[in-house]
Amino acid sequence: MIVVTFAFHNHRLEERLMTNAMLQKAATLMRVLHSGARASYFNDLKKDFGNNDSWLVHIQRVIDHLVEDPEVTFIALVDAKGKVIAHSSHAQIGSNAPYLIAAQEDGEMEEHPRLAYRIESIHDFGRVFTVFRNFPPAFPTMAPVLVKPTFERHKEFLGQAFRNPGNRLPPLRIFPEGLSPDGQYFAVVGLDMKDFDRTLGRLRMQIFMLSLAMLLVGFGGWFSLLAVQGYRVSQKTLEDIQAFTSLLIAKLPVGVIATDTTGRITTWNRAMALLIGLDRVDTVGRRPQEILPEQLAVFFSPEKLVDDHQEISAEHGVRLIVGGRRCELLCHPLTIIDSEQLYMGQVLLVSDVTEIKSLEQRMRENELMAAVGKMAGGVAHEVRNPLSSIKGLALLLKNKFAAGSKEQDTADLLIQETERMNRTITEMLSFTRPAALHLGRVDLAQLIRRSLELIKAEAEENGVETSLEEQAGLLPVLGDADRLQQVVMNVLLNGLQAMEQGGTLSVTLANSVDGQSVEARIRDTGVGIAPDLMAQVFFPYFTTKQKGTGIGLAISQKIIIEHGGAIELESEPSLGTTATIQLPASRPEG
């Protein structure tokens, strides 16, 4: 109710001001019509008193001149019965136009009491603001001396009149030709309503937007808009909106970085401070390249600006390690331009999607494991029984042949291959079946040291140097030591086998930033993995090694997932591969 009252008042006030302005213009046009026609008529009399154009001709000339204004729809002179005496449209002269007669219900403004007006739609002219005013047919008092003498006797007569004022004739009142001195005439001006309607429409839209802003800033701003009008109210509303926007940006769970036209940071919200580890006071006024990681600073480089300042709307995924924490970020850069297409700055929206990506990865892994488990169960059921029969038949055949014969060797080979296939099926079943974990507090550093000792001889033989770096105060992990030993050995052996020409195999252990997990990073300097193969490294039976089975990493991933952790691989061809294992930390109860 308050908003409606406020809007209606502003609308009425603006409409009244615009109506008064249009009445003022119409009154000016009417005065110009009267005075211009009179001046033209007098000038014609001065040129030739006896052979001058009629009064109506002069009125029509002035009307034709005034109607050149694009805001003027028509100008007319009518009598009391609506007969058109003069009109900007010559075809209307002489016709009856009752709509050009002022009615008692027509509006009248206090500022212009002699004017009447109405707003109407006329067939030939559209929507018109029509203004009426009484038009006196008589000229003001005019003395004969104003007439240019045409004969010598007139000169003598007028000369005597000037020399002897007592001999002057009384002044004359002249009525225009064709107009009755007792008749009533009206000047009518029709103004185009397009600008009027457009302005009112824009005002309604402004009122609507202002009402929405008032609702946003709350009851206090709403009440203040009712109490005060004009410039100060607009300023107060703007300040409230800015405060609301600042609070909204500060509370958003999405990181926001904004720069001005000079490329310096003006906005740095709380979510961004938590993500990067820098407070707002340390960032505002500085350039993004000075404080942001390279992966984020690149969005503010000049090369990222689009020609003609078109908005960049593409989203980009970014991986960062901030304070020892691996982050998956979704970045949305925007270029800000004003209504005049001038560059105002840049905005970068940063969403931390680490947990979402992790959940998506786990879902894909679970779907894969479910599919593989279903397949493995079917294969094991269909293959294992025939294998047992084949192995028994091979043993029977072996006993029927002489020792050392070619046939017995063939039977031995058949038995070996049958046993190898049976082991493969056993591995497949172990991959798909849930493992019974014996959870306990595991010293991950000690477990890895023991694993490094186990591969020490093979590492020295291949010319590989091993190292272990652990953070002070490393937390124990909650897990099954035997299963975790299996995972670590798989990853270490993969690293060794990737460095046939020697290299470095390093292990780094550290607690996570939040202290909820322990991270082990195992890095080799081997041949690396091609980018197009990275998506398949955890698939069962996928391998890049000639003698590999492709089951080691798949089983390792399954074990880590069963522990509630995560394992990831990063690799660059010819530079090496890094395996990152995250396991939940074990904390003492109580």
Side-chain angles (χ1 to χ4, degrees), residues 258-280:
T259 60
D260 56 17
T261 54
T262 64
R264 297 187 179 276
I265 295 175
T266 58
T267 301
W268 181 278
N269 70 344
R270 182 173 177 270
M272 203 68 218
L274 293 175
L275 182 63
I276 302 299
L278 293 175
D279 292 333
R280 185 178 185 276

Side-chain angles (χ1 to χ4, degrees), residues 76-105:
L77 180 65
V78 300
D79 60 15
K81 296 181 179 180
K83 181 179 180 180
V84 179
I85 308 300
H87 200 287
S88 56
S89 176
H90 294 188
Q92 300 283 339
I93 298 175
S95 63
N96 289 322
Y99 66 87
L100 295 180
I101 304 176
Q104 292 183 355
E105 62 272 12

Side-chain angles (χ1 to χ4, degrees), residues 4 19 23 34 94 134 210 243 313 329 335 409 415 457 487 516 560 565:
V4 172
T19 301
L23 287 173
H34 192 275
N134 187 38
L210 183 59
S313 59
L329 306 179
T335 300
D409 292 341
I415 294 171
V487 172
Q516 299 299 313
I560 294 299

